[in-house]
Amino acid sequence: MSRLRKFFKNYRRQAVLAPIFKLLEALMNLLVPLAVGAIINNGIGNADRNYIIRMFIVLLVLAVLGMLFSFVAQWYAANASVGFAAQMRQALFDHIQKLSFTEIDTLRPDTLITRMTSDANQVQNGLNLALRLLLRSPFIVFGSMILAFTIDVKSALVFAVAIPVLTVVVFAIMLASIPLFTKSQKALDRLTGLTRENLSGARVIRAFCKEQQEVDEFDRRNEALTHINERVGRLSALMNPLTYVIINIATIVLIHTGALQVSLGALRQGDVVALYNYMAQIIIELIKLASLIITINKSLACANRIADVFDIQPGMTYPAAEADFEPAGRPDGETATAPAVRFDNVSFTYAGASDAALSDVSFTAAKGSTIGIIGGTGCGKSTLVSLIARFYDATRGCVSVNGRDVRSYPEGALTGRIGFVPQKAVLFRGTVRDNLRWGNESADDESLWEALDAAQAKDVIEGKPGGLSFLIEQNGRNLSGGQKQRLTIARALVKKPEILIMDDSASALDFATDLALRRAVRALEGSMTIFIVSQRASSIRDADGILVLDDGRLAGKGTHKELMKSCRVYREIYYSQYPDEKPEDTTAGKEQA
């Protein structure tokens, strides 16, 4: 929890005032048994009705003051805990946004979601209770013991013995339960991940009739979580019976001792009632303290999990922004004549992977050229274009954009030049206009329609009610796969990037639409460099240059005609899609080593 202390900076006053007002309320409660004892000893014992009325008014004043102090304490505690949690959650979200793809791949989205929601709520609840009760309960417990000594030392010795025993029991159970709460949250992570996977893949699960297998797997993980929670519950359940046994034994001893003292005339009846009330207050407060400790244990475990995310530093660093750095779209000096993209002996290995995804890849892409990238599944096509946008850093070698190492660009400067269309079309809840303006927040409707026209999506949006104001549901559920792909391409075109990367982003389009899309994109104004990743040979055969990847290595590069003569891998891919063009003898032609 100490690692999250910085989020308390704006709530120190509330964090101090909340327990202070709660202690004032506790003080009112501690004075009540003395007033009751006085009524019995002096009012009832002497049949003094006026004294009873005066002390009854005192009890009412104590009750009203206690209630007011409690309300104020609750307001300050709520203000501090909610504000703390809000700042922590915002900082956690901002921190996650700064993490590179490598860290996010390692942490997994399901555990990050759990830490931002469930864990953050547990920390907020624990902090709220701690501010109100963490000092109040011990204050009443030890205050009761001190006031008991002012009434009768011999009877108060019962308090002096019972309270340390209770403290040992409570803290022993607390120390034993903390590791179990951590295990419980980890098990919840795994269950959340499975649930997320099942909900996102519901259609696939039903298509393969795997519902029962997934139900069984969910039951298995749910039972594991339940088992851990049951262990925590059984351990925590010992708290109340053990404290009750100790308190009840102490109460019996107290009443016995008090009765003897009354019989000897050393103690009055009202004092025994006051002592018993103090013991009853101790019982109530220890029950609260036991529940509070369980909640605090959970919140501490959750706070440590959140702090662990903050401890993970972004794997990528960026140089400070330069005053003379040329803006996107207006390169000058040496960068104006440099190639758009250059790979020099680039290799890359994903975190935790044993084999390299890319090995010794070298090529140059001139400004305004169209580069096709093709290869088998898992050969590294998406990895290659991810390195251009610096989603990952190359393990070895250098990736340059406009003659400058991608690692030397200030934060946001590189991505500001690149329009990236990912494999999976991702749209957000909002209007078509809102989604397209992700590429350029200041784009007017005319620019949006131009981008839609180039992306072959103009007819789609014109047919929707409201046009650009048509509301897209979360993840684009109310659009087809092809419509979503075309909108994501239009979103990238609105940006008017120097480099456009389409990572297999036309897989859901028919051949005619795909052809029209490529022609429209190449006809756009400016010298945009285009990278097209595709499984279709038809999508890249007219490119200025084609890169053929095979198991992470560059198996060939050149034009379609050159590769048909020199690259066996490219010929195999092409003839697998166009078997009618395959000659009887395909061994002719010099193969590239």
Side-chain angles (χ1 to χ4, degrees):
M1 192 73 174
S2 60
R3 290 180 287 176
L4 304 178
R5 192 180 302 164
K6 59 184 178 182
F7 301 116
F8 249 139
K9 184 172 63 176
N10 297 328
Y11 301 96
R12 290 173 181 169
R13 183 171 63 89
Q14 293 91 325
V16 171
L17 291 175
I20 287 177
F21 277 97
K22 206 64 180 174
L23 291 180
L24 290 174
E25 184 239 343
L27 182 61
M28 300 301 103
N29 288 346
L30 288 174
L31 295 176
V32 169
L34 295 177
V36 172
I39 290 175
I40 295 173
N41 290 332
N42 303 323
I44 298 176
N46 298 328
D48 188 344
R49 179 174 295 181
N50 291 330
Y51 184 84
I52 294 174
I53 293 174
R54 289 197 303 272
M55 293 308 297
F56 180 74
I57 294 173
V58 170
L59 287 176
L60 288 178
V61 171
L62 291 175
V64 171
L65 288 175
M67 182 178 65
L68 291 176
F69 290 146
S70 179
F71 285 165
V72 175
Q74 175 61 56
W75 188 88
Y76 279 125
N79 187 273
S81 59
V82 171
F84 169 87
Q87 287 199 0
M88 178 188 67
R89 198 179 287 114
Q90 183 63 56
L92 181 61
F93 182 81
D94 295 343
H95 181 73
I96 292 172
Q97 294 300 312
K98 294 178 182 178
L99 296 178
S100 69
F101 282 22
T102 300
E103 285 86 44
I104 293 176
D105 291 343
T106 302
L107 289 170
R108 303 191 319 275
D110 46 280
T111 185
L112 292 176
I113 291 172
T114 301
R115 295 185 197 205
M116 285 196 64
T117 54
S118 175
D119 288 355
N121 289 337
Q122 289 281 7
V123 172
Q124 177 181 319
N125 292 337
L127 182 59
N128 191 325
L129 290 174
L131 289 175
R132 292 188 293 118
L133 301 177
L134 192 59
L135 291 180
R136 182 187 187 279
S137 293
F139 180 80
I140 286 187
V141 169
F142 289 103
S144 298
M145 183 178 69
I146 292 170
L147 290 175
F149 272 101
T150 64
I151 296 173
D152 181 59
V153 174
K154 188 173 182 180
S155 299
L157 291 175
V158 177
F159 290 80
V161 174
I163 290 174
V165 174
L166 288 167
T167 303
V168 171
V169 170
V170 168
F171 278 92
I173 293 176
M174 180 187 73
L175 293 175
S177 60
I178 287 177
L180 294 177
F181 286 124
T182 303
K183 289 181 65 177
S184 174
Q185 288 301 114
K186 290 181 178 178
L188 179 61
D189 274 351
R190 292 190 288 270
L191 188 64
T192 302
L194 179 65
T195 304
R196 179 176 175 271
E197 191 176 63
N198 273 266
L199 292 175
S200 61
R203 288 186 175 90
V204 177
I205 293 171
R206 292 184 180 181
F208 286 88
C209 299
K210 295 290 184 180
E211 294 95 334
Q212 190 56 49
Q213 288 91 325
E214 293 301 317
V215 168
D216 294 340
E217 177 65 15
F218 183 89
D219 288 343
R220 186 181 68 79
R221 297 197 184 188
N222 192 33
E223 286 176 5
L225 175 61
T226 303
H227 179 67
I228 295 173
N229 286 333
E230 285 177 346
R231 288 178 60 192
V232 177
R234 283 194 292 268
L235 189 60
S236 302
L238 292 174
M239 187 87 73
N240 284 350
L242 286 177
T243 52
Y244 267 118
V245 168
I246 296 170
I247 287 294
N248 286 328
I249 292 174
T251 302
I252 293 171
V253 175
L254 175 65
I255 293 175
H256 176 72
T257 304
L260 292 176
Q261 294 291 91
V262 171
S263 298
L264 295 174
L267 198 65
R268 291 183 294 178
Q269 293 177 344
D271 295 333
V272 176
V273 173
L275 289 171
Y276 178 78
N277 284 338
Y278 282 130
M279 186 62 73
Q281 285 195 7
I282 290 176
I283 294 175
I284 295 171
E285 292 307 318
L286 284 173
I287 293 172
K288 289 181 181 179
L289 186 61
S291 176
L292 173 64
I293 288 172
I294 293 171
T295 303
I296 289 179
N297 284 340
K298 290 181 180 179
S299 64
L300 286 175
C302 294
N304 288 331
R305 283 161 49 83
I306 293 172
D308 288 342
V309 178
F310 281 115
D311 288 342
I312 297 174
Q313 296 303 311
M316 291 183 179
T317 56
Y318 298 89
E322 305 168 16
D324 60 345
F325 189 81
E326 70 273 9
R330 291 189 300 170
D332 53 18
E334 294 182 2
T335 61
T337 58
V341 175
R342 184 184 182 90
F343 273 52
D344 289 317
N345 298 316
V346 172
S347 298
F348 176 75
T349 304
Y350 285 101
S354 56
D355 298 324
L358 290 176
S359 300
D360 298 318
V361 175
S362 297
F363 71 90
T364 299
K367 284 185 172 64
S369 63
T370 298
I371 305 297
I373 303 174
I374 196 168
T377 301
C379 67
K381 301 186 297 297
S382 295
T383 302
L384 187 148
V385 293
S386 294
L387 295 179
I388 298 174
R390 206 195 171 195
F391 295 151
Y392 300 92
D393 274 336
T395 308
R396 184 164 55 85
C398 177
V399 180
S400 303
V401 171
N402 289 335
R404 182 167 181 161
D405 191 328
V406 293
R407 289 169 290 194
S408 68
Y409 278 84
E411 187 172 9
L414 179 62
T415 52
R417 301 163 183 266
I418 297 174
F420 197 94
V421 187
Q423 277 182 311
K424 183 180 179 181
V426 178
L427 295 171
F428 299 89
R429 180 177 175 80
T431 64
V432 173
R433 183 182 290 104
D434 293 336
N435 274 270
L436 294 183
R437 281 181 174 168
W438 276 63
N440 181 1
E441 293 182 358
S442 61
D444 55 22
D445 286 0
E446 183 180 355
S447 299
L448 301 184
W449 283 115
E450 288 177 1
L452 288 169
D453 188 28
Q456 309 303 301
K458 185 176 182 180
D459 293 342
V460 174
I461 301 306
E462 285 179 339
K464 299 292 183 182
L468 292 174
S469 300
F470 174 70
L471 183 64
I472 297 175
E473 295 182 4
Q474 187 177 14
N475 293 326
R477 288 194 302 263
N478 54 341
L479 298 174
S480 68
Q483 290 172 343
K484 288 192 290 185
Q485 284 192 339
R486 281 178 276 179
L487 284 179
T488 55
I489 294 171
R491 180 176 60 195
L493 294 177
V494 169
K495 194 175 183 178
K496 298 187 184 302
E498 294 177 24
I499 300 172
L500 175 65
I501 299 174
M502 295 193 292
D503 184 7
D504 203 15
S505 55
S507 58
L509 305 183
D510 58 78
F511 286 93
T513 305
D514 184 17
L515 177 61
L517 169 65
R518 285 184 279 112
R519 287 177 175 173
V521 170
R522 295 194 69 171
L524 291 174
E525 295 181 0
S527 57
M528 181 165 50
T529 306
I530 303 171
F531 285 84
I532 301 176
V533 177
S534 181
Q535 301 281 4
R536 298 174 180 175
S538 61
S539 297
I540 51 94
R541 65 181 296 174
D542 295 327
D544 299 313
I546 300 172
L547 305 177
V548 184
L549 293 177
D550 183 31
D551 197 21
R553 295 184 178 274
L554 196 59
K557 56 183 175 180
T559 63
H560 169 72
K561 290 182 179 180
E562 292 170 346
L563 291 171
M564 287 298 289
K565 295 177 181 179
S566 63
C567 184
R568 173 184 56 81
V569 176
Y570 184 76
R571 285 199 303 271
E572 289 177 354
I573 294 173
Y574 184 79
Y575 288 135
S576 68
Q577 298 177 17
Y578 296 94
D580 294 341
E581 297 184 20
K582 185 176 182 180
E584 294 182 4
D585 183 12
T586 60
T587 60
K590 183 179 178 180
E591 297 184 359
Q592 179 174 318

